[in-house]
Amino acid sequence: MKRRTGKRLNGWGIAVLLLFAMLLVNIPLILTAINSFRPTSDILHGSTLFPENVSFDNYRVVTEATDYWLWFRNSIVIALITTAITLVAASFAGYSMSRYHTKVNSVYSATLMVFQLFPIVLSVIALFILFRKLGLMNTPVPAVVLYVVMSLPFCTWISKGFFDSIPRELEEAARIDGASSFQAMVRIVVPLAGPGAAAVAIFAFLQSYNEYMVASAFLQKPSARTIPIGLREFIQQYHTDWGQMLAASTLAALPPLIMFLLVQKWMIRGMAAGAVKG
Amino acid sequence: MAEQVTSADRQAGRPGGRQAGAPGGPQTGRQSGSQVGRGSGRRSGSGVGRRPGSGFGRRPGSGSRSAGDMQTRRDRWLSINLALPSILLLGVAQLYPLFQGILYSFQKGKTTRPSQAWVGFDKYAQLFADPDFWKAVRFSIVFAIGGVVLSYLLGLVLALLLVRDIPMRGFLRVGFIVPWVIPPIVGMTAWRWMLQDERGAVNQVLNWFGVDTIFFFNDPKWTAVAAIVVKAWRSFPFMLVSLMATLQALDPVLDEAAAIDGAGRWKGFWHITFPQILPMSSILWVLMTIWSVNDYETPYLLTNNSANARNLMIFSFDEAIYRDLGKGSASAVVTLIVLGILAFFMLRLQKKASDLQ
């Protein structure tokens, strides 16, 4: 009895410690959010840790008097297209690598690590010149292409690991019952692919929504900007207005956070399956 | 028997090529010879060495060979076509820029007028003579190693605590992943704000403890420290999730046996747990090092493109797009080569580690 209570207290002790650590880790975001509700004058002259006057002014200015929603729309469009393409490409490739051990796949699998280490700068240099010539600057095209490629190696790895964890026997059973490979894949594997798909999707979405460098290289026109570029704009132009900067930051952090919270259970399960089996 | 093939297949598929060779045993005879040693045995069609009653057991009956052939051909067609979109995309966005980049590095030019003239290795010579290049190399190394070590340790400690059965575990785990999820611009701006002169939160806390104000962005040494800490802050969630997954897949029997034998917690960890997570850990080290060297955003956004925090990515980009296309391309190519060598050695290390298991 005593040992049991002891263990329970031990568990709670660790949990409380970890809770404190977790809040500490998230201080940058917490401070950003809290201070976004203070007028800038307060932020500059008062203490950073304890807000006095609460105001929504910063948010009002950001949402009404800046291009925030334009940047948001651009970011979401690019992110959604990237996620869709990556999901399809990575799932197909991952499934193929998991089930069919052909020469193409073994080469591709071995070189996956090579693709992973490719410095994105090298891609940007050549594609910058190419897309300029093709007149595709300030369109979603360069960004989507690069973001998909940046996500593919890791997403394919996760996807393959995940498919490895789905027993082949299920598809074999379906084939004995007369289904073709394709039908077996669609009817058996796809319904089970939730966690793997969630992991791939969230990773691709984060990669494209959060990314700064590629966006800044290819989307220079004000009408084409995404959120990271727009936020940086704030620092340059309104560099004294921390209040608005923090409000914009808080707003910008919400979509990825919300998406992550929605799919996190699946995503972690998908990543875990990939990590263990892969 | 079916399990035997499946797990061998799984092992063989690891990226970076754990080429497991033929799965061995009775299955070998069934392969049609052209395959690289791995196989599900479904490929032969020609019927070489097909022994009735051995191996799979669940195979569609030994009946019509033509049905088997059709299956095989469709499998192969499907396998190639499924991987095709990925291969095409990677070709456009990596192979083409690679060759083009190499070409540019041997030429004189600007982004508006590339490929003006061939200058051989001139650009490389200029590059290696440039002190800013070596400064970027040094910073990249320090940044990568510091970031990997710190994020790994932090992730490991937290993973060890979070795999236990404690209350609020799910909530805590999600909370720790947040730094990885929010856009870098948001995180870096927040840190920039916290690390600024006397008014920044960090300095306010330091002052409260009696420590003098540190001007993080003026002193190159402290800039590097700040960059490493912030990088670790961004990266540890990835380590955390991967290590948790690995730890949870371990066999608890070994830990219990060690505990029964009286091993202390530290000994238990070092001799039982750590060797088991070593293969995965080494993969994580390789991945994170690569990602750190390739990280443009963290140093750039944190320090607002300060000269104290230029790593190879920032240097190459700036040089190629705004100044000398040839020199910048050379820098990017050199970075790729270095990363390749690094990855090669680290993968050998990882292979050794997992072979030891």
Side-chain angles (χ1 to χ4, degrees):
Chain A
M1 191 60 168
K2 187 173 175 204
R3 243 179 105 226
R4 207 123 167 266
T5 342
K7 200 166 176 218
R8 196 94 180 110
L9 279 178
N10 202 355
W12 270 103
I14 296 182
V16 168
L17 202 69
L18 285 177
L19 184 64
F20 189 66
M22 183 194 101
L23 290 174
L24 204 68
V25 160
N26 282 305
I27 277 195
L29 193 59
I30 295 175
L31 280 184
T32 301
I34 292 181
N35 281 283
S36 68
F37 292 105
R38 301 168 74 196
T40 305
S41 46
D42 276 11
I43 300 177
L44 290 177
H45 299 126
S47 139
T48 34
L49 301 171
F50 301 107
E52 292 120 17
N53 314 314
V54 173
S55 99
F56 285 90
D57 263 1
N58 294 324
Y59 284 95
R60 215 173 26 85
V61 173
V62 167
T63 51
E64 290 171 16
T66 64
D67 284 332
Y68 185 83
W69 294 116
L70 172 67
W71 304 331
F72 181 74
R73 201 195 59 199
N74 291 333
S75 280
I76 291 288
V77 165
I78 292 178
L80 287 180
I81 301 178
T82 304
T83 305
I85 298 180
T86 308
L87 200 53
V88 168
S91 303
F92 277 3
Y95 179 80
S96 172
M97 276 168 40
S98 170
R99 299 299 193 237
Y100 307 120
H101 298 292
T102 62
K103 260 216 179 97
V104 170
N105 277 337
S106 11
V107 169
Y108 185 47
S109 172
T111 55
L112 215 54
M113 184 61 97
V114 176
F115 287 129
Q116 179 67 59
L117 60 80
F118 202 83
I120 201 67
V121 141
L122 195 50
S123 302
V124 170
I125 293 174
L127 292 178
F128 184 81
I129 297 176
L130 175 71
F131 281 125
R132 231 191 197 179
K133 235 181 268 174
L134 294 177
L136 284 173
M137 296 294 273
N138 296 310
T139 68
V141 173
V144 167
V145 167
L146 277 165
Y147 292 154
V148 169
V149 165
M150 280 161 79
S151 323
L152 262 184
F154 188 69
C155 287
T156 308
W157 186 54
I158 293 285
S159 176
K160 176 188 181 299
F162 178 75
F163 282 125
D164 280 345
S165 72
I166 297 181
R168 270 205 200 153
E169 284 76 35
L170 295 175
E171 292 152 79
E172 285 170 23
R175 279 208 224 175
I176 291 178
D177 289 343
S180 74
S181 315
F182 192 70
Q183 286 173 321
M185 175 175 97
V186 170
R187 282 212 221 114
I188 307 286
V189 175
V190 167
L192 291 174
V200 167
I202 189 78
F203 191 80
F205 184 85
L206 289 179
Q207 179 73 49
S208 50
Y209 179 90
N210 288 348
E211 206 274 346
Y212 173 82
M213 178 190 142
V214 167
S216 75
F218 292 101
L219 303 170
Q220 286 170 355
K221 225 166 46 172
S223 61
R225 287 188 187 140
T226 55
I227 284 192
I229 312 177
L231 284 188
R232 184 121 200 284
E233 257 284 299
F234 256 106
I235 306 188
Q236 311 289 58
Q237 271 195 5
Y238 311 102
H239 68 271
T240 47
D241 208 326
W242 283 107
Q244 290 172 13
M245 172 80 220
L246 296 176
S249 289
T250 312
L251 277 180
L254 287 179
L257 266 178
I258 294 175
M259 271 212 69
F260 170 64
L261 287 173
L262 287 176
V263 301
Q264 50 95 2
K265 238 192 205 125
W266 277 11
M267 170 199 150
I268 294 181
R269 221 203 300 167
M271 268 190 78
V276 172
K277 298 298 183 176
Chain B
M1 271 296 203
E3 277 100 2
Q4 205 179 12
V5 177
T6 327
S7 60
D9 286 342
R10 269 192 224 138
Q11 273 182 5
R14 232 177 252 188
R18 257 251 228 134
Q19 308 294 331
Q27 278 78 15
T28 327
R30 211 171 281 142
Q31 279 139 32
S32 51
S34 63
Q35 300 306 320
V36 187
R38 305 189 236 148
S40 56
R42 223 173 265 138
R43 216 163 321 282
S44 66
S46 61
V48 171
R50 234 207 246 186
R51 278 163 257 146
S54 65
F56 266 105
R58 283 243 213 113
R59 295 260 249 92
S62 52
S64 57
R65 229 178 259 173
S66 50
D69 279 347
M70 278 282 282
Q71 185 85 324
T72 310
R73 234 177 287 138
R74 208 181 303 140
D75 277 5
R76 201 172 298 164
W77 181 90
L78 206 63
S79 84
I80 296 181
N81 278 276
L82 284 180
L84 214 52
S86 306
I87 297 179
L88 281 176
L89 280 165
L90 286 168
V92 166
Q94 290 194 350
L95 285 182
Y96 163 72
L98 174 63
F99 290 124
Q100 188 64 272
I102 295 179
L103 286 180
Y104 284 146
S105 69
F106 291 122
Q107 298 171 333
K108 176 173 121 122
K110 295 176 100 60
T111 50
T112 39
R113 270 210 313 145
S115 307
Q116 290 165 18
W118 288 91
V119 294
F121 282 99
D122 266 11
K123 294 299 172 190
Y124 285 92
Q126 285 173 18
L127 183 69
F128 293 133
D130 188 349
D132 282 339
F133 170 71
W134 293 109
K135 204 166 152 201
V137 170
R138 270 199 306 274
F139 184 83
S140 294
I141 294 176
V142 168
F143 180 70
I145 295 183
V148 173
V149 168
L150 201 54
S151 64
Y152 179 75
L153 289 176
L154 197 53
L156 183 59
V157 167
L158 289 173
L160 287 170
L161 290 173
L162 281 170
V163 286
R164 294 155 152 238
D165 188 18
I166 55 174
M168 298 191 293
R169 193 170 74 167
F171 172 71
L172 287 170
R173 191 179 55 187
V174 169
F176 276 119
I177 301 185
V178 171
W180 188 55
V181 171
I182 59 176
I185 182 69
V186 173
M188 297 309 113
T189 307
W191 273 107
R192 195 174 163 64
W193 178 56
M194 281 169 53
L195 288 168
Q196 66 180 314
D197 34 42
E198 301 90 7
R199 291 169 299 170
V202 172
N203 274 318
Q204 286 195 9
V205 169
L206 283 177
N207 287 338
W208 193 70
F209 276 109
V211 180
D212 279 338
T213 302
I214 300 178
F215 292 93
F216 284 98
F217 297 118
N218 293 344
D219 184 345
K221 203 176 36 140
W222 283 111
T223 308
V225 168
I228 290 177
V229 169
V230 173
K231 177 66 177 166
W233 175 83
R234 268 220 91 210
S235 314
F236 87 86
F238 177 73
M239 298 288 193
L240 172 63
V241 172
S242 308
L243 285 171
M244 272 186 75
T246 317
L247 285 169
Q248 278 168 337
L250 295 184
D251 192 350
V253 169
L254 294 171
D255 278 337
E256 287 165 23
I260 290 177
D261 284 346
R265 208 172 304 159
W266 171 251
K267 271 226 176 103
F269 169 75
W270 188 246
H271 292 290
I272 306 288
T273 317
F274 189 68
Q276 288 180 288
I277 61 172
L278 196 55
M280 183 58 176
S281 297
S282 36
I283 295 183
L284 292 175
W285 297 336
V286 175
L287 265 181
M288 193 50 78
T289 306
I290 293 175
W291 284 342
S292 296
V293 172
N294 282 338
D295 188 350
Y296 178 95
E297 290 160 358
T298 305
Y300 184 88
L301 295 173
L302 177 67
T303 64
N304 202 13
N305 199 13
S306 149
N308 288 336
R310 302 189 111 207
N311 65 3
L312 279 170
M313 289 292 106
I314 301 176
F315 175 81
S316 309
F317 182 82
D318 192 59
E319 193 68 41
I321 303 284
Y322 296 118
R323 286 196 284 248
D324 186 335
L325 180 62
K327 196 161 143 204
S329 300
S331 175
V333 170
V334 167
T335 308
L336 175 60
I337 294 177
V338 167
L339 278 174
I341 298 177
L342 196 74
F344 176 70
F345 278 116
M346 292 185 93
L347 280 174
R348 276 182 65 196
L349 205 72
Q350 181 245 330
K351 193 157 189 275
K352 258 191 228 160
S354 51
D355 283 344
L356 277 176
Q357 240 205 333

